[in-house]
Amino acid sequence: HVQLVESGGGSVQAGGSLRPSCVVSGVTYDRLCVAWFRQATGNEREGVAWFSTNTHRTMYADSVKDRFTISQDNANNTLYLEMSSLKPEDTAMYYCATGPSGSYSRKVGSTWISNPCDFSRFDDWGQGTQVTVS
């Protein structure tokens, strides 16, 4: 079965950086969607970024664009989230997740966009790593 183990969270001051990681096992990594989600206390879980391991396409939530970068070490089945210019509103439990690669259509304005991954299509989750920004 799929196992995801996160590490690398922590506490930083606003403007600082962190790089949590997630080791993925029990699944074929070369055709997969991998993602980071976060959930702040009292809020719903939200998608932060996803990465398609076969197309190498990525997508980011507007709130983290130009500050966060999702990346992977394919040889070690490890997913990273490079977080910079951190803000107090980034404080949350961060989870990595995996899901099937496919062709998912979503309407953006008047246009249908097809992506290999979609935040609504992730099935397996890690235990989370806490990120606190003060």
Side-chain angles (χ1 to χ4, degrees):
H1 67 285
V2 181
Q3 284 192 309
L4 303 104
V5 180
E6 301 101 331
S7 61
S11 297
V12 295
Q13 292 188 333
S17 301
L18 280 173
R19 189 195 191 210
S21 61
C22 173
V23 178
V24 181
S25 61
V27 65
T28 301
Y29 195 79
D30 61 352
R31 189 176 176 85
L32 194 66
C33 291
V34 290
W36 288 95
F37 288 74
R38 67 185 181 186
Q39 187 168 19
T41 302
N43 290 1
E44 292 187 355
R45 185 173 59 199
E46 63 170 341
V48 174
W50 59 248
F51 179 97
S52 166
T53 63
N54 55 309
T55 69
H56 287 199
R57 285 178 60 185
T58 59
M59 180 168 284
Y60 296 89
D62 288 343
S63 58
V64 306
K65 277 181 184 174
D66 301 324
R67 299 189 299 119
F68 291 10
T69 302
I70 188 170
S71 64
Q72 62 156 6
D73 176 350
N74 204 20
N76 293 304
N77 287 7
T78 301
L79 181 69
Y80 299 98
L81 186 66
E82 303 267 4
M83 310 164 68
S84 63
S85 301
L86 283 162
K87 305 174 181 180
E89 51 263 43
D90 294 318
T91 295
M93 186 71 80
Y94 283 72
Y95 300 90
C96 65
T98 60
S101 180
S103 180
Y104 303 111
S105 295
R106 181 180 288 270
K107 197 170 187 180
V108 180
S110 59
T111 305
W112 284 96
I113 304 294
S114 179
N115 290 311
C117 306
D118 190 279
F119 282 128
S120 67
R121 301 300 185 108
F122 286 83
D123 306 310
D124 294 292
W125 302 84
Q127 83 288 351
T129 186
Q130 178 68 36
V131 171
T132 302
V133 186
S134 60

